Amino acid sequence: MERKTEPEDMRDETVVVTREWIVEYIVEIPGEDALNHLSILRGQDVHDVQARLYQELREEYPASERIEVTVIRLLPVEKDTDEQMFELGGVYQP
C-alpha cells in the first residue's frame, strides 16, 4: 500500500508568534526594603510570560528562601518603538 504525503509547501504549519510583554512588579523579602522591577519578557501568552517571570525571579534571588511578588502591570507591547526618536547624540530627548 502506498502512503500519500503532502509536499512540504502544502503542509499546514502553525506559526507561533512570540511577542514582548511589559511586566512591572514589586518584590518583598522579609527584613529588607521592597524592590520595584520593570522587565520586558517574551512569550506567546500570559501563561508563558508568567513562567518566564518565575525563571527570572529564580535567577535574580537564588539565595532567598521566601519572597513575595506583586505584579502591578502585565501588558503586551502593541507597537515597535522607533529608537531614533529617543536618541540625539547619545542623550535622551523626549
Side-chain angles (χ1 to χ4, degrees):
M1 186 169 176
E2 198 172 305
R3 217 174 146 189
K4 293 183 179 181
T5 59
E6 294 178 20
E8 284 185 326
D9 56 9
M10 298 293 286
R11 291 184 190 155
D12 182 29
E13 302 263 344
T14 304
V15 177
V16 178
V17 177
T18 302
R19 60 192 315 181
E20 291 181 332
W21 295 72
I22 296 174
V23 184
E24 183 179 2
Y25 58 96
I26 298 172
V27 174
E28 296 179 48
I29 302 172
E32 296 183 23
D33 292 336
L35 300 167
N36 294 333
H37 290 268
L38 183 64
S39 294
I40 296 179
L41 302 175
R42 293 181 184 266
Q44 297 171 16
D45 56 17
V46 173
H47 300 292
D48 193 21
V49 174
Q50 185 179 24
R52 294 185 192 278
L53 177 60
Y54 288 146
Q55 180 182 3
E56 181 175 299
L57 290 168
R58 284 187 200 106
E59 290 173 4
E60 187 72 26
Y61 302 99
S64 299
E65 289 183 24
R66 181 168 188 251
I67 63 172
E68 288 191 32
V69 178
T70 303
V71 176
I72 298 170
R73 184 173 22 170
L74 178 63
L75 301 170
V77 175
E78 296 296 330
K79 295 182 180 180
D80 290 329
T81 303
D82 184 6
E83 295 172 3
Q84 293 180 0
M85 292 177 64
F86 293 97
E87 285 290 324
L88 183 62
V91 179
Y92 172 74
Q93 297 289 325

